[in-house]
Amino acid sequence: MKQKSFLLTLLWLCISASLLAQAEYKMPRLRVSASGGLGYLIASGQDEIAGVVNKEVIDKANKDLRLATHLNGDIHYLFDAGWGIGAKYLFQKTSAKAKDLIIDVNDGTHYQVVDLWEKDYINFVGPSLFGYSNIGNSGNFLLVSSLSVGYAWFRSEGSVLSQNVLITGKNIGMNADVGIDFLLNPNVGLGVNAGYFLSTFGKVKATDGTNTQEQTLDKDSRYNASNIHLSIGLRYYLNK
């Protein structure tokens, strides 16, 4: 609840600022954005895995899984009052490997050395509320913000003890971001955004290629894709 309140507060502040100085500028009617960057998952990882001897290997893999490749795109129709409506798409990927992991398989009398790997993907799409305002007198800088609520899809591919596993799930997600656009000309610009994505997955479907099972995970086992992200990209302003 605190996380959702933060998102709503961020959007309210940004849109409130955007309503102060719109009358002097004629804004375009359509904004298209494409960005790429990095994200960092803020959820805590699993501290202990039964049977693992060299815990430092798992700790490194958990750290690697926190760093995400982040891509997003959106399109908004803009109104003169400093706000707009549209849609946002978001993609993120994380991956990690754990090589030479030592597992105690028989209470200290027999050990097995294995390699593990995991790749996780998130796709999100949803309607978006957008806010904007001019910064300074040149008209080349814009303060922008958006809030999107939609649906997120989770896909995890992994290998455990030489057994490949695919886990999928879906749930409601939210994304909020704030940034600055610099217009190179009336229609093309560069932008940088900082954002926060929120979604968790508690009901999943797991398959090993032969058997498929649906599971409802407990609170401590849910996959939490929530992250902060920073991206940079191109902006297109049309019909100005």
Side-chain angles (χ1 to χ4, degrees):
M1 182 61 68
K2 291 182 178 179
Q3 292 173 325
K4 294 180 180 178
S5 298
F6 168 77
L7 294 177
L8 294 173
T9 301
L10 174 64
L11 182 71
W12 181 84
L13 289 174
C14 293
I15 291 182
S16 295
S18 73
L19 297 176
L20 298 179
Q22 299 305 317
E24 300 178 17
Y25 301 95
K26 181 176 177 58
M27 292 302 299
R29 287 303 179 203
L30 198 65
R31 177 185 183 271
V32 181
S33 167
S35 301
L38 294 176
Y40 185 80
L41 275 68
I42 59 176
S44 59
Q46 189 170 354
D47 295 329
E48 299 290 341
I49 298 180
V52 173
V53 176
N54 49 345
K55 184 176 178 294
E56 66 278 3
V57 177
I58 289 295
D59 290 342
K60 182 181 182 304
N62 283 332
K63 290 180 180 179
D64 292 341
L65 282 173
R66 289 183 178 274
L67 189 63
T69 301
H70 179 88
L71 302 173
N72 70 78
D74 55 60
I75 182 170
H76 291 92
Y77 183 86
L78 306 181
F79 300 95
D80 290 336
W83 64 282
I85 56 175
K88 176 178 282 289
Y89 169 76
L90 181 150
F91 170 83
Q92 73 178 41
K93 173 189 174 183
T94 64
S95 62
K97 293 182 179 179
K99 298 188 66 176
D100 299 327
L101 186 66
I102 302 174
I103 300 177
D104 182 356
V105 297
N106 194 23
D107 296 330
T109 61
H110 181 68
Y111 297 91
Q112 186 173 356
V113 180
V114 299
D115 293 339
L116 309 180
W117 61 266
E118 180 179 345
K119 296 179 180 179
D120 299 332
Y121 306 88
I122 298 292
N123 286 276
F124 166 84
V125 64
S128 178
L129 181 62
F130 185 78
Y132 67 91
S133 64
N134 285 278
I135 302 175
N137 298 321
S138 67
N140 293 331
F141 288 92
L142 297 173
L143 174 66
V144 298
S145 62
S146 69
L147 175 65
S148 305
V149 180
Y151 226 66
W153 290 265
F154 165 65
R155 177 184 178 94
S156 177
E157 303 170 357
S159 177
V160 181
L161 296 175
S162 300
Q163 178 65 59
N164 293 332
V165 178
L166 172 64
I167 301 174
T168 57
K170 52 188 177 181
N171 198 7
I172 295 173
M174 301 177 65
N175 183 80
D177 55 52
V178 60
I180 295 177
D181 288 358
F182 171 66
L183 299 182
L184 303 174
N185 60 52
N187 298 110
V188 179
L190 296 175
V192 59
N193 279 72
Y196 180 74
F197 176 73
L198 170 65
S199 189
T200 59
F201 300 88
K203 188 174 183 180
V204 300
K205 182 183 294 184
T207 179
D208 59 6
T210 302
N211 301 308
T212 301
Q213 182 180 6
E214 290 189 356
Q215 294 180 316
T216 300
L217 306 177
D218 59 40
K219 183 178 180 180
D220 295 330
S221 301
R222 295 172 184 171
Y223 182 83
N224 191 339
S226 302
N227 69 88
I228 53 176
H229 48 84
L230 182 67
S231 61
I232 186 171
L234 292 174
R235 311 290 185 255
Y236 299 94
Y237 286 90
L238 307 177
N239 301 324
K240 188 165 185 176

